Amino acid sequence: QSQAQYQLLGAIILSTLAFCMYEAKSQLHATGVSSRAASATAGAGQLWAWGLALRAAAVLLQSMAAVLQEWLLGQEAWVPFMLQQSWMGCGSLATTFAAWRGMHGQSVTHLFDGFDDWRALTLLAIYTLNGLTVGLMVKRLGVLAKALCVPVHLGACYMYGVWSGTSTLKLEAISAWLISTVLVVMFAVSKAKGRGSAK
C-alpha cells in the first residue's frame, strides 16, 4: 500500500466510527431513551465493556477467517472457484452440525425446520449468494476489498432501520456514511490505478 492509501484507510476507519456513534444515538432517539439515561442504567458500564470485548473478538476471528480464506483460495488457484466454495460449504456444514448435536444436543430433524416457509428459503438463498459474492471478491480483489465493503453495508442496514422505525434519520449519520463511501471509492480507484501502472 502507498502512503496515500494508508491515509485513506485511516480516514475510512474514523468516518466509520463516527457513523456508528451517530447511528447508535439515532436508535436511542427512536426508542425514546436519551444517551444520558442509557449510560446511567445500572450495570451499563459493564455491559458496554462486555459488548465491546465480544465485538472485538468477533472482528478478530472474522479477520483471521478472511485472511485464511484468501490464503486457501490463492494456494489452489487452478481449482475452480465453485469447487473451492463447495469444500468450504461442507466444512461449515460439518462444524454447524457438530455444534448442533454436540454442544446443544438438538435433534437432527430440527435442521429441516423452516424449509416449508418461503421467507426462510429466500433468506437462505440471499445468504448463499452473499457467501459466493464475498468469496469471489476475496479471491479476485483480496481481503481488504471485502473489509472496505463494511461501511457501505452498514449504511444499508441503517436505512433499513430508518424504514422499519428502529432508527431515526440523522444528518450526522448520513454525512458520516457518505464520507466513508466516498473514501472507499477513492481507495478503490487508487488501487486500480496502482495495478494499471504496475502492468
Side-chain angles (χ1 to χ4, degrees):
Q1 312 292 339
S2 65
Q3 184 177 1
Q5 289 171 347
Y6 280 119
Q7 292 174 350
L8 284 173
L9 286 175
I12 291 170
I13 292 172
L14 293 176
S15 59
T16 304
L17 285 173
F19 166 75
C20 291
M21 291 174 55
Y22 290 126
E23 194 270 340
K25 290 181 179 179
S26 73
Q27 286 186 356
L28 292 175
H29 187 266
T31 56
V33 180
S34 65
S35 56
R36 181 176 299 178
S39 61
T41 304
Q46 294 180 352
L47 289 176
W48 181 87
W50 177 243
L52 180 62
L54 288 177
R55 179 59 61 89
V59 170
L60 178 62
L61 291 175
Q62 186 178 22
S63 301
M64 291 173 59
V67 172
L68 178 61
Q69 183 184 21
E70 182 182 21
W71 180 78
L72 290 173
L73 292 174
Q75 286 292 107
E76 307 288 346
W78 54 271
V79 179
F81 172 72
M82 290 304 296
L83 182 58
Q84 291 175 326
Q85 291 298 112
S86 298
W87 290 345
M88 292 184 181
C90 290
S92 62
L93 181 62
T95 303
T96 303
F97 182 76
W100 183 268
R101 288 290 294 162
M103 297 179 62
H104 300 287
Q106 297 291 330
S107 173
V108 179
T109 57
H110 290 314
L111 288 173
F112 301 97
D113 290 347
F115 278 88
D116 55 345
D117 189 347
W118 67 270
R119 290 166 293 189
L121 294 176
T122 302
L123 289 175
L124 182 61
I126 294 173
Y127 178 78
T128 304
L129 289 175
N130 178 70
L132 292 174
T133 304
V134 168
L136 186 61
M137 179 179 292
V138 169
K139 184 172 184 176
R140 300 296 183 188
L141 302 177
V143 172
L144 190 57
K146 174 194 172 184
L148 290 178
C149 292
V150 172
V152 181
H153 179 259
L154 289 177
C157 294
Y158 171 61
M159 294 310 297
Y160 176 78
V162 172
W163 176 77
S164 62
T166 57
S167 297
T168 56
L169 194 62
K170 292 287 186 180
L171 179 61
E172 297 89 348
I174 294 294
S175 301
W177 178 75
L178 287 176
I179 291 173
S180 298
T181 304
V182 169
L183 290 172
V184 167
V185 173
M186 291 174 60
F187 183 88
V189 171
S190 175
K191 288 287 288 184
K193 288 183 177 179
R195 289 186 177 183
S197 60
K199 292 181 180 179

